[in-house]
Amino acid sequence: MTLLPSLPITIPLAGAVLCMLFRRNIRAQKGIALFTSFLILLTSLTIFASTKDGTIAVMNVGDWPAPFGITLAIDMLSSVMLLLVGLLAVGVSAYACFDLDEPRMKFGFFPLMLILLMGVNGAFVTGDLFNLYVWFEVLLTASFILLALGGERAQLAGSIKYVTLNLLSSALFLAGIGILYGMAGTLNLADLAHLVKDGARGDLLTMVAIMFMMAFGIKAGMFPLYFWLPASYPTPPAAVTALFSGLLTKVGAYSMIRMFTLVFDSDPEFLHGLILVGAGLTMLSGVLAATAQYEMRKILAVHIVSQIGYILMGLGLFTELALTGSIIYLAHVIIVKTNLFLVAGAVNRLKGTYDLKKLGGLYSERPGLSLLFIISAMSLAGVPPLSGFFAKITLIIAGIQIESWAIVVVALGVSLLTLYSMTKIWAYVFWKPAPEPLPDLDPMPKGQWFVFLLPMVGYTVISIAIGVFAGPVFDYASEAAAQLMNPQAYIDAVLGGV
Amino acid sequence: MTSIILRTSTRYMFPPLIVFSVYLLLRGHHFPGGGFVGGLFAGSAFALYALAYSVSDARKAFRQDPRDITAGGLAIALLSGIPPLFSSHAFLTGTWWEVPLPMGGVLDVGTPLIFDVGVYFVVLGVLLTVVFALGEEE
């Protein structure tokens, strides 16, 4: 196929263009956004089917041969990420159609969302370092506007921190690219890996690797560079936060996994050791910060940080099993976290607040919504047999295997504290009686309420399914991890066995 | 700001600036130039107009909403990638057609030119969206 790998980029772009042309017609925009999201999901399913046997789908854009032009290369990790983007796109755009306020839609929420999806997909399919930078810029620019859209005071305050730190990260990223290009004379990832393996080593390479670690670390929300995240994520509407939490930090984590398995794998003792320490501190500081919060969205946002720690833990341990754990964890956390934000948005829609102290008694009023929350929350904490349990246990077994006791202890402790935070939300929002009864702000008819909940039901079912079908999921992830640990197949597929 | 000198010179400068922007666009394939610079040039012509007269006059002169121009430009750039697919080449491969001219000789028209036209409109549209938004007092 000469077209398939480019579709994850071109389909959202086409949708965004159509949405812009129908700027004045919000109904048409909703339809286009939903339809485009389904197309994205369909494309990613097709790609998933064609790469699940381990083939790497490669496309040279514009027929420029591999090290010179821009290469798109989709391996198993990329295709599972694309699949998650597709699932997220459908759910979040359906939720946004229901929940988002008119002015934000008029100002271009849908085209921006599709541009954001294009950027994320682009980052997942590209096999070229500079192209990766370009996709980062695309998705960041879209996210800047989405974050500030609406212009509420808290939003703008959050946006400034977000923009400043992310520009710093882009500058580091670009500087790193420059130095790497000076060293190797190429920016094709496979070609870079090839050259680094052939001997370009030494202190300069380590320095560049650390620049990349910081650049991606800021974007992923890794310790100590995560302060922008709790400041900015809880400010926009639930649909935007759900989209951000599902995708933005994960692109950073994905890029780090890609770079530190394909290119910077020459000095794992130092580099991956550093990532492991960072991962432990990220988990710990995220979860501790969450215990002090009494706002539903803030607790969830700070928890994103600690989840990133788990993903990076697998990269830091740097064994096949550990990377398997990271991949399962990525899939699990994208689904579950998005779902939790959507549920929080639904609570806010009903009661008009996120404040734990004001809320209460939702279990007796809305048992369905409560059920959706508790399943996702328990999954995040790692209660068997839900998706989080298998992700965490894989990581912990991987840690025990190479006798990295400190990180195992941290991971288990953080798991317990996550359970504490989730139970706190459960007890305050759903279980305890409301301090003073809050009126239902939006009493929807039953049918409409069900349609509104549909994306959340879908995500909950997926989260349970990851737990129930843990066997096949594990097999897939371990094959993907094997591909990452032996990058020769990737290099050969891109460079044609040069 | 009203300056008779700026207004008069803008009236004379405006058409050459637009023509020059198109010249830059067409020149771009072999020499310095191209859609990006061309679009910037055309955009600055309208920005100059907005400075000399007013933003609402410039909007009137531009006729279209700049956001529509942005969307149209993106669409053109996207569509320029499609023709090579029919000859089973990869997306965005440069494809050329030779158009015979009535006076003799041939004109080479290719998808890179179409792509560049798209870029021209995107840059023009985005620039004017920003300039008009900043220039308007609320």
Side-chain angles (χ1 to χ4, degrees):
Chain A
M1 275 301 272
T2 50
L3 186 61
L4 195 60
S6 68
L7 285 181
I9 299 168
T10 46
I11 288 175
L13 178 60
V17 169
L18 278 177
C19 277
M20 281 166 84
L21 288 174
F22 285 95
R23 218 177 52 246
R24 288 167 200 89
N25 187 344
I26 289 176
R27 279 179 68 100
Q29 281 197 30
K30 284 182 180 176
I32 295 165
L34 268 178
F35 182 69
T36 314
S37 302
F38 273 108
L39 273 185
I40 296 173
L41 180 60
L42 207 66
T43 319
S44 58
L45 278 171
T46 319
I47 293 176
F48 188 80
S50 72
T51 55
K52 73 170 186 295
D53 56 348
T55 38
I56 293 164
V58 177
M59 175 191 155
N60 291 316
V61 180
D63 267 354
W64 292 97
F68 307 111
I70 292 169
T71 307
L72 306 181
I74 304 178
D75 64 352
M76 290 171 83
L77 174 63
S78 299
S79 73
V80 74
M81 295 309 285
L82 289 175
L83 186 62
L84 290 164
V85 174
L87 289 170
L88 219 66
V90 172
V92 171
S93 55
Y95 186 90
C97 283
F98 243 91
D99 192 52
L100 209 67
D101 50 311
E102 193 97 331
R104 282 195 172 88
M105 286 198 205
K106 272 211 178 108
F107 204 83
F109 170 79
F110 288 114
L112 284 166
M113 182 191 86
L114 291 171
I115 297 273
L116 179 73
L117 291 174
M118 172 177 85
V120 173
N121 272 345
F124 289 149
V125 301
T126 189
D128 183 278
L129 194 55
F130 190 75
N131 199 232
L132 181 68
Y133 170 78
V134 173
W135 291 124
F136 263 106
E137 291 302 298
V138 168
L139 73 91
L140 283 174
T141 311
S143 68
F144 291 160
I145 309 175
L146 278 175
L147 193 63
L149 201 64
E152 290 162 24
R153 196 185 168 86
Q155 275 188 306
L156 293 181
S159 304
I160 289 172
K161 291 176 190 131
Y162 179 78
V163 170
T164 316
L165 262 171
N166 275 295
L167 284 182
L168 179 71
S169 137
S170 295
L172 273 172
F173 189 3
L174 197 59
I177 290 177
I179 299 172
L180 205 55
Y181 188 67
M183 286 166 69
T186 179
L187 287 177
N188 183 298
L189 287 178
D191 209 22
L192 271 176
H194 188 73
L195 291 176
V196 169
K197 274 176 196 47
D198 280 357
R201 303 239 162 125
D203 295 343
L204 192 56
L205 190 74
T206 310
M207 195 199 80
V208 177
I210 288 176
M211 287 177 86
F212 277 98
M213 197 189 292
M214 283 177 69
F216 294 140
I218 291 177
K219 290 187 205 286
M222 185 184 175
F223 182 87
L225 310 161
Y226 65 84
F227 294 101
W228 58 271
L229 198 151
S232 59
Y233 270 30
T235 55
V240 177
T241 314
L243 197 65
F244 280 16
S245 86
L247 296 177
L248 292 190
T249 49
K250 309 308 179 285
V251 181
Y254 163 86
S255 308
M256 205 181 282
I257 292 178
R258 175 68 72 212
M259 285 305 284
F260 283 84
T261 53
L262 188 59
V263 181
F264 302 124
D265 58 349
S266 52
D267 187 9
E269 204 145 301
F270 176 65
L271 287 175
H272 293 75
L274 207 58
I275 293 178
L276 193 62
V277 172
L281 291 171
T282 309
M283 280 185 221
L284 210 57
S285 51
V287 87
L288 288 179
T291 53
Q293 299 290 342
Y294 277 91
E295 218 239 36
M296 202 171 169
R297 262 193 314 183
K298 281 218 179 99
I299 297 179
L300 294 175
V302 181
H303 264 287
I304 297 176
V305 176
S306 89
Q307 311 307 323
I308 287 289
Y310 281 99
I311 298 167
L312 296 180
M313 169 184 166
L315 180 62
L317 292 170
F318 203 49
T319 63
E320 204 170 299
L321 186 66
L323 278 171
T324 309
S326 279
I327 294 167
I328 304 177
Y329 206 91
L330 260 170
H332 143 75
V333 84
I334 286 177
I335 297 290
V336 167
K337 204 81 212 189
T338 308
N339 200 16
L340 285 173
F341 273 109
L342 293 183
V343 172
V347 169
N348 180 52
R349 187 188 170 92
L350 288 173
K351 297 298 181 190
T353 178
Y354 289 104
D355 195 333
L356 290 192
K357 287 178 177 151
K358 284 186 196 148
L359 287 162
L362 246 80
Y363 180 66
S364 55
E365 283 178 46
R366 300 278 177 181
L369 187 68
S370 313
L371 192 67
L372 293 178
F373 176 82
I374 193 72
I375 292 176
S376 293
M378 289 302 116
S379 179
L380 193 71
V383 173
L386 299 160
S387 57
F389 170 72
F390 291 100
K392 280 184 180 167
I393 200 156
T394 313
L395 284 170
I396 285 165
I397 291 174
I400 292 173
Q401 264 185 3
I402 58 168
E403 300 184 356
S404 190
W405 302 113
I407 195 80
V408 170
V409 171
V410 171
L412 288 170
V414 169
S415 213
L416 212 61
L417 286 171
T418 310
L419 189 63
Y420 163 73
S421 277
M422 292 301 126
T423 339
K424 185 165 87 181
I425 299 183
W426 172 252
Y428 271 88
V429 177
F430 297 94
W431 207 240
K432 78 158 196 256
E436 45 195 279
L438 292 164
D440 251 6
L441 291 178
D442 191 20
M444 278 187 259
K446 241 195 160 73
Q448 206 185 351
W449 174 248
F450 182 72
V451 176
F452 177 63
L453 285 187
L454 215 56
M456 295 167 238
V457 174
Y459 290 143
T460 310
V461 169
I462 295 171
S463 164
I464 296 174
I466 295 178
V468 173
F469 299 103
V473 171
F474 182 86
D475 289 344
Y476 181 88
S478 71
E479 272 177 57
Q483 264 188 350
L484 290 175
M485 289 302 280
N486 310 300
Q488 198 55 44
Y490 183 95
I491 298 172
D492 288 344
V494 172
L495 297 179
V498 179
Chain B
M1 185 179 69
T2 48
S3 150
I4 196 106
I5 300 173
L6 186 61
R7 285 194 173 187
T8 315
S9 52
T10 300
R11 212 177 303 152
Y12 286 104
M13 288 292 291
F14 190 75
L17 277 174
I18 298 288
V19 172
F20 190 64
S21 80
V22 177
Y23 168 72
L24 276 178
L25 163 69
L26 294 176
R27 188 176 190 267
H29 194 69
H30 295 295
F31 305 100
F36 193 87
V37 209
L40 276 182
F41 243 84
S44 35
F46 281 97
L48 184 66
Y49 196 90
L51 271 179
Y53 295 86
S54 72
V55 171
S56 57
D57 285 333
R59 265 195 203 280
K60 243 175 258 161
F62 194 61
R63 286 158 196 255
Q64 303 293 323
D65 190 312
R67 285 174 286 182
D68 287 336
I69 299 296
T70 312
L74 276 176
I76 294 172
L78 183 61
L79 291 177
S80 78
I82 292 176
L85 297 177
F86 294 111
S87 48
S88 69
H89 284 287
F91 184 68
L92 280 175
T93 307
T95 310
W96 294 85
W97 299 280
E98 292 183 347
V99 181
L101 293 174
M103 313 289 279
V106 285
L107 184 65
D108 281 334
V109 180
T111 50
L113 179 65
I114 302 175
F115 186 83
D116 244 8
V117 172
V119 173
Y120 180 94
F121 284 120
V122 173
V123 173
L124 178 62
V126 170
L127 186 69
L128 287 185
T129 310
V130 174
V131 166
F132 288 167
L134 287 179
E136 264 164 359
E137 289 155 35
E138 277 183 67

